[in-house]
Structure formats: structure tokens, C-alpha cells
Amino acid sequence: MDYQQAGVDVVAGRAFVENIKSLVHSTHRPGVLGGLGGFSGWFELPAGYQQPVLVSGTDGVGTKLKIAQELDDHASIGIDLVAMCVNDILTCGAEPLYFLDYLATGKLNSTQLTQVVAGIADGCRQAGCALLGGETAEMPGFYQAGEYDLAGFAVGIAEKSKLIDGEQMEIGDVAIGLASSGIHSNGYSLVRKIVSDGGYRWEDTPSRLEGKNLGTVYLTPTQIYVRPILAAIAQQLPIHGMAHITGGGLPENLPRCLGAHHSIAIDLQSWQIPAAFQWLAEAGNVATVDMFNTFNMGIGYVVIVPAAVVGETIAFFKSQGIAGYAIGTVVAGDRSLIGMPE
């Protein structure tokens, strides 16, 4: 007996690494040392920092993977993986430097997983970070045929004196909500339950979604905010706080960037809830409070700025292709949101 008879094809694994080398190389940026295939990835810190701080984050994409696998559509799930990591480390003003992925499957399907890695490479290019390496594990008996799992890890850099940590925030500052591209990568256990229990198929095209099918809408990749945010910082827009709106929605994530004695009074009428969320609420009979506690509801990222630059900030992000809305005001409080559904 040999390893291949046990379900692990070492030769196919080596061939897969060779196939994705060009995808990895397409993400390289100054600082990358060495090539793919070693035991570790090497990256040289950029010059010009006085007190460089390394900022790291790790995440996955949850059960959104189930939809990609059910539809055999793996082109964008890698973008989600990168987005979930780089958007997190971006919240303190860090520039993503490099990314590593972990990909596990029951049986290596080179065509399927090459699509996944192509999406990861696409996400890295969008974020301006290098895909420095990763791990592909073939684990027969652990996953069903066609199944795989993903996790990612990003490292960024920031000048210590310029870290955005909530200390800059002042009462009267305004929270600018930046539009999400859709559900992003959170709440998919509820999405899938609504579709399954309602007897819907991913090919269905509800009128609420204006002709788009469910699969297309709910596989829309997560917006990567790195380049617009870093451009705003470079333009010296005075950003006093930032939040990535992921699992738990605004109520769980926005308070994480507030100072100990600050709250935000939210104006729920300041933006239009996108159709993707409206359909879920209707099809699943989901209460408004539960929608806001589960999904981003159309706001994928929040920047907090002085009231005097609200118009300038919204105009700047519009020039970057992202809609912005003044969704709330910083007030004295206990790191809570005021005015949310109850």
C-alpha cells in the first residue's frame, strides 16, 4: 500500500503548486524575497518607517463556501477570503503587505482549487498585498467529495505614531458608512436556511432582486476597501476611527472603534437598505432587529471624521467608486449605538 492508495496524491499536489505559481507571482510587490515552494515566505520591511508596527489578522469565509461548492462556482470566494482579513487590519490605518492561505480538501481537484487560488490572487492585487505562500492539505475522509475549506492570514504595517485607535475621536464627529457590495461573508448560515426552508433554488430570480438569481446575488464578493482608505489617509483626510462591519453587523462592530466614553447616535433613515437584504427579511420573515444583528445591511465599512469634513469625505469616496452616507454622530456614552432597532 502507498500514500496514493490511502487517498493522497503527492504528485498531483506538486503539479498543483506548479500550476498556481504564475498566479502567486502576479501579486508580488516590492519586499517579497524568494519564491514559492520553500518552508516559509520572506518579506523585507519597507524603508521609511520610524517605528514600524506589524498588524495581523486572520479569518475565513464561513458557510458561503457551501454555496460556491453547490453551484460549482469558485471564481470569487478567494476574494472574500482576502477581503475579510485585509479589511480588518485596515481599521487601524495599516497597509497590507502580504497574505497567506490555508486550503484543505478531501481530494485535490486541480481545476476547482486553481479557481479558488485565482480569486485569492485577485483579492491580493485589489488590496495591493503579496500572496506570499500558503498550504494545501489533502485530507481524505475528512471532507465530502467536492468540499474544501479556506482560512487566511494577512500582515500589514503602520507607523506607530499614526495608528488609528479611537484616541483621536471627539464628540460631534460623524460616522460615514461606506456601501457594501452585498452580504459580504457573514450570516450565510441564515441565508442558506432561508433559501432551503423556503423551497428556493439558487437559480431562482425573485422580482425583488430585479432579474438576478439568488446564486449570483449571494456569491457577490466582499468589497475590499484598502486602496480607497489608504488613498484617503494619503490625502490627509482626518480619520478618527474605522470599523469593518462583519458578523454581528453594526451593533457588534461599530462600537469596537469607539473611545471608552463615546457612543454613536445612528440615523437609520440615512441610507437605503439594498434589495439583497430586503429579500432575506421578507422570505425568511426575519425581524428587523435580527437583520441588523446578523448582516451589514448595506454598510460594509465605517470611517469617523470631524463634522467639518463630512461633505469632502463623502465626495472623496464617491470619486473612488464607493458611495458614502452620514449614518450617525458621536455623542457621550458607553461605547453603544443609540437608535438601533430593538
Side-chain angles (χ1 to χ4, degrees):
M1 187 178 292
D2 60 22
Y3 211 8
Q4 186 168 358
Q5 289 173 311
V8 179
D9 191 335
V10 175
V11 174
R14 292 171 183 156
F16 173 67
V17 172
E18 287 297 319
N19 287 342
I20 64 173
K21 277 188 174 180
S22 63
L23 294 170
V24 174
H25 184 74
S26 73
T27 71
H28 281 186
R29 53 170 286 166
V32 175
L33 303 176
L36 189 66
F39 288 101
S40 57
W42 300 353
F43 196 95
E44 184 176 31
L45 289 182
Y49 287 86
Q50 300 300 311
Q51 287 184 287
V53 176
L54 294 179
V55 182
S56 59
T58 185
D59 211 336
V61 296
T63 62
K64 190 173 187 177
L65 284 172
K66 284 284 191 182
I67 304 175
Q69 292 162 16
E70 192 172 332
L71 295 177
D72 194 25
D73 184 351
H74 316 281
S76 64
I77 204 74
I79 299 175
D80 290 296
L81 182 65
V82 175
M84 296 303 290
C85 297
V86 298
N87 285 344
D88 273 358
I89 66 174
L90 180 66
T91 57
C92 67
E95 175 190 358
L97 295 176
Y98 59 83
F99 184 86
L100 292 93
D101 70 275
Y102 173 79
L103 201 164
T105 186
K107 182 173 178 56
L108 185 65
N109 179 328
S110 182
T111 300
Q112 176 196 63
L113 298 188
T114 297
Q115 290 181 42
V116 175
V117 175
I120 294 172
D122 188 356
C124 285
R125 289 191 297 270
Q126 290 185 39
C129 65
L131 178 53
L132 198 58
E135 173 70 10
T136 302
E138 194 172 15
M139 302 164 61
F142 202 84
Y143 298 95
Q144 298 296 319
E147 287 187 350
Y148 58 87
D149 198 7
L150 288 174
F153 181 90
V155 172
I157 191 168
E159 186 69 68
K160 186 175 182 179
S161 63
K162 296 181 180 179
L163 285 169
I164 299 170
D165 59 5
E167 290 297 318
Q168 301 86 351
M169 201 168 300
E170 299 178 352
I171 291 174
D173 284 352
V174 175
I176 306 296
L178 302 182
S180 66
S181 55
I183 305 296
H184 285 184
S185 297
N186 301 102
Y188 273 85
S189 294
L190 180 54
V191 172
R192 291 169 46 248
K193 183 171 178 59
I194 290 170
V195 171
S196 175
D197 288 4
Y200 299 101
R201 302 171 304 155
W202 296 113
E203 296 79 13
D204 290 345
T205 55
S207 58
R208 169 70 77 178
L209 301 181
E210 300 178 345
K212 295 181 180 179
N213 66 52
L214 294 174
T216 297
V217 169
Y218 295 113
L219 274 184
T220 300
T222 305
Q223 176 72 44
I224 293 177
Y225 296 95
V226 172
R227 292 188 187 275
I229 293 294
L230 292 181
I233 293 172
Q235 290 283 334
Q236 298 187 333
L237 278 174
I239 296 175
H240 290 174
M242 292 191 283
H244 182 202
I245 310 305
T246 56
L250 284 166
E252 184 169 323
N253 291 285
L254 188 47
R256 294 165 69 180
C257 75
L258 298 179
H261 303 294
H262 294 143
S263 291
I264 294 186
I266 297 291
D267 178 5
L268 293 177
Q269 305 304 312
S270 58
W271 80 97
Q272 176 68 37
I273 306 299
F277 301 96
Q278 295 178 28
W279 183 83
L280 289 171
E282 294 166 2
N285 192 28
V286 184
T288 301
V289 62
D290 292 320
M291 290 294 296
F292 274 92
N293 282 328
T294 305
F295 302 110
N296 67 60
M297 299 301 279
I299 302 297
Y301 200 89
V302 175
V303 297
I304 297 176
V305 299
V309 298
V310 168
E312 179 185 354
T313 302
I314 292 175
F316 176 82
F317 284 107
K318 182 178 180 181
S319 76
Q320 302 292 307
I322 298 179
Y325 314 92
I327 66 169
T329 303
V330 176
V331 297
D334 56 358
R335 301 185 77 184
S336 61
L337 300 189
I338 300 167
M340 296 298 294
E342 297 180 357

